[in-house]
Amino acid sequence: MVKKIFILSALISFLGLSAQKTHTVAQKETPYGISRQYGLTVDELYRLNPSKKDGNLKIGDVLIVSKNGSSPVKTAAPVVATSAPKTGKTGTIALLPKQTIYGITKQYHISEADLRKLNPELDSHLKIGDLVTLPADNIQKYAGSASPAPAQTVVTQTVTEKPAEVKPAVKTETKTETSTDNSLYVVQAKDNYYKISRQFNLTQKQLFALNPGLESSGLKPGEAIRVAGTASFAPVQSSGAIQVEDNSQSNNASAPITKTTAAVSNNTVASGSASADDYVTYTVQSGDTMFSIMNRFNVTLDQLISLNPNLSDGLKAGMTLKIKKQDPMYSKKSGDVLSVVLMLPFGFDANDAKYRTMAMDFLTGAKLAAERNAANGQKLDIKVVDAGNENTFKNSLSQINQDNTDLIVGPFFKSSVLEVLNYVNDKKIPVVAPFANSSDLFDYNNLIIVETESSVYSDRIVKEVGQVYQDQKIYIVADSSKANANAIKDGLEKSLSKPNIVIVNSSSDIKLDTNMMTGQAVPVIAVLADDDESAGAAFASKMVALGKQAEGSKAFSMFYSPSFEKNVDDLSKVSLVYLMDRKIDYEGSFEKEVLASYKAKYCKTPSKYAVIGFDVMNDMLTRENKKGEIFKQIGKTQTQLATKFEFVKAKPNGAYINNGYRVVRLMQ
């Protein structure tokens, strides 16, 4: 039996299949998923298809999925997949925020294969506002069938005899959430919009709608705000993580505005403490799109809709929009040479070598990235600064020329990052934090945070477990802090009906119960919430054993472990799903080229921190333009040597956080 590893992006989409008496096995499908789709148990599926009982399930197999020839029980609304357009005519729709490949196939009743035939570049250079080609008949028939959120009424539909130039669609997972419960929440000292929205499964638009004036007045510790209510919301799509994206944060990253000339109307002041000077008005011009307006004024879709409810009727030329001003972002004063400061904790001046090896490795990767970009014509002036340690860091600030620095990469520690941000606050120089990630950094709109928050991973695991859960006992293997384990437990208790969840300190504590009637071991779900390598090895060993004892046991891990790749075949039997923020594709041409260059230059393979140094520097430099306007490119999703970068706003007019990660599924 051939086992395959499918490495998927956090932006994964699934194609629904129409309910029918037979089912053709598609890529990524499992017996459990198929049986659940048709209201069967796995045993019933195998009884209907006895030749597949040994697990010999292959792509293209045709399975019987109806008992006694009756129609299957529908557990989810099926998607009717149609083939090529009947008339031969095609049209285009404009890609909307958070719209997915799956959503398009479902709404417009087209198979994913046919969608990709019409849009061969569907998965590259993804952004909102791109045009997606569809059969004209399908557009005319199904354009209004998805009950979209207000912003989704803004759709351009053009019928052509041949497919228009096609730009790709964003590939994400979505879910629909509504708020119905009455509840108040007391704001805590370090709360922000992003944190509260995530905690209560709201979008920021919903949060502001529940609390008029909150966006302009801000959060105040001790103040009670409404986090759910009886207000009726249109369904709002929430993408999976970081973004990816299982959070409800808008993942629209717009270019900054550097100049605003529109006049301010006296009758467009929002409630709260904000004044008319905090807003501008803009008259929509012919040819404007939601994306172009968001890009021009550096605002999110939620912000636009909350201030302009009439957008629910669509964007029309001549309408006047109220838009909250954003702080202007950084742009070079003169010249086309990018001046970059790289702040690393060598500790020579402080006589502290604790992080020196880490800093030296980071530098080798960053240097290689800089040399590659310079060879491609980018003009760079890079200054390396010894950031010392946290006690002596202030001495290194004097080496930053505030009038001639376009980008600062580093320092490593949160306290030092805060000092740099305050030091360059008036200049708004972009600062990249490779490792620091804390809520008290979210207020700085010139900050780019590389490390993905652990909550992004725990949220994703909750989603993954929920998709396969069938009343199994759930074990969560915790680390010493138990923070990740508790987050997963809380999420599962909110999303599942009376789950039996046990947090354990070691994989050896996972125990199988016995069915008193049959005497057989009862399958369990096990989750690893510990990133220690030895914990990963122990988890892999335990799950291999459980897979042999109890068919149907499932395994999930928040983190990658080398042991997973060493036990692919056996771990496939428990359908292991794990998340990964850094992994090199050794078969990729780009990766091969970079690794060969590094080995030729340093006579060794890059260490973990050398890889991070390359990825961070290469990602930032490829987003820069000659004017130093890095934030104009911040919305692009890019994967470097090992790291996926997908930045979202932590809060309106706040820092950007990387929500990029990949999902790996081991399948039989």
Side-chain angles (χ1 to χ4, degrees), residues 11-30:
L11 308 176
I12 294 174
S13 63
F14 292 94
L15 178 64
L17 299 175
S18 59
Q20 52 188 2
K21 294 181 181 180
T22 60
H23 175 90
T24 303
V25 179
Q27 197 176 55
K28 300 179 288 198
E29 289 191 319
T30 65

Side-chain angles (χ1 to χ4, degrees), residues 428-443:
K428 293 296 181 184
I429 300 170
V431 176
V432 181
F435 302 109
N437 186 339
S438 177
S439 59
D440 48 356
L441 295 172
F442 292 173
D443 289 326

Side-chain angles (χ1 to χ4, degrees), residues 255-297:
I257 178 173
T258 55
K259 184 178 181 181
T260 301
T261 56
V264 179
S265 172
N266 290 331
N267 61 358
T268 59
V269 181
S271 60
S273 60
S275 66
D277 292 336
D278 293 326
Y279 300 89
V280 297
T281 56
Y282 175 73
T283 302
V284 178
Q285 306 297 310
S286 177
D288 276 343
T289 64
M290 293 288 285
F291 179 73
S292 67
I293 294 172
M294 289 157 52
N295 187 60
R296 176 173 182 174
F297 292 98

Side-chain angles (χ1 to χ4, degrees), residues 171-239:
K171 188 177 183 182
T172 57
E173 287 187 332
T174 61
K175 61 184 179 181
T176 301
E177 296 179 357
T178 56
S179 176
T180 57
D181 186 29
N182 289 300
S183 180
L184 294 175
Y185 172 73
V186 178
V187 178
Q188 305 301 307
K190 293 187 177 181
D191 278 344
N192 54 64
Y193 299 133
Y194 176 70
K195 180 178 179 182
I196 294 174
S197 298
R198 176 185 288 277
Q199 181 177 348
F200 293 99
N201 292 326
L202 298 170
T203 64
Q204 288 184 18
K205 182 188 77 172
Q206 290 175 332
L207 184 65
F208 296 146
L210 286 167
N211 300 274
L214 182 64
E215 183 180 15
S216 56
S217 62
L219 294 169
K220 299 171 184 175
E223 178 183 38
I225 62 172
R226 187 169 294 281
V227 292
T230 56
S232 176
F233 293 108
V236 179
Q237 292 179 328
S238 168
S239 65

Side-chain angles (χ1 to χ4, degrees), residues 359-497:
M360 291 295 292
D361 285 353
F362 189 97
L363 177 61
T364 60
K367 185 178 179 182
L368 179 62
E371 290 172 349
R372 286 175 60 87
N373 282 273
N376 289 330
Q378 194 171 37
K379 297 179 181 179
L380 299 171
D381 178 13
I382 297 181
K383 180 179 183 179
V384 181
V385 173
D386 183 354
N389 59 24
E390 291 182 271
N391 295 325
T392 64
F393 177 74
K394 287 185 178 180
N395 297 331
S396 63
L397 290 175
S398 60
Q399 300 182 54
I400 300 175
N401 182 348
Q402 297 191 55
D403 296 320
N404 190 32
T405 297
D406 304 309
L407 178 68
I408 300 172
V409 178
F412 286 0
F413 312 111
K414 184 188 79 170
S415 60
S416 301
V417 171
L418 283 168
E419 290 191 59
V420 171
L421 289 166
N422 290 324
Y423 184 73
V424 301
N425 183 60
D426 293 339
K427 304 293 183 179
K428 293 296 181 184
I429 300 170
V431 176
V432 181
F435 302 109
N437 186 339
S438 177
S439 59
D440 48 356
L441 295 172
F442 292 173
D443 289 326
Y444 297 87
N445 63 2
N446 58 323
L447 177 64
I448 301 171
I449 299 172
V450 171
E451 283 287 287
T452 304
E453 287 189 298
S454 60
S455 60
V456 173
Y457 298 120
S458 61
D459 287 351
R460 179 67 191 213
I461 290 296
V462 169
K463 181 182 180 71
E464 292 288 337
V465 172
Q467 290 175 343
V468 303
Y469 176 72
Q470 278 191 327
D471 296 325
Q472 302 99 320
K473 190 173 185 178
I474 301 174
Y475 285 92
I476 305 175
V477 182
D479 57 16
S480 57
S481 73
K482 291 186 171 55
N484 291 327
N486 285 326
I488 294 173
K489 184 174 185 290
D490 291 344
L492 291 173
E493 287 177 339
K494 290 178 181 177
S495 61
L496 303 179
S497 176

Side-chain angles (χ1 to χ4, degrees), residues 128-186:
I128 298 164
D130 285 342
L131 299 181
V132 179
T133 300
L134 293 167
D137 291 342
N138 296 45
I139 292 177
Q140 293 169 1
K141 187 173 182 180
Y142 302 116
S145 63
S147 300
Q152 291 179 313
T153 59
V154 188
V155 177
T156 301
Q157 299 178 5
T158 306
V159 177
T160 58
E161 293 293 334
K162 296 181 179 180
E165 180 184 356
V166 178
K167 296 183 180 179
V170 175
K171 188 177 183 182
T172 57
E173 287 187 332
T174 61
K175 61 184 179 181
T176 301
E177 296 179 357
T178 56
S179 176
T180 57
D181 186 29
N182 289 300
S183 180
L184 294 175
Y185 172 73
V186 178

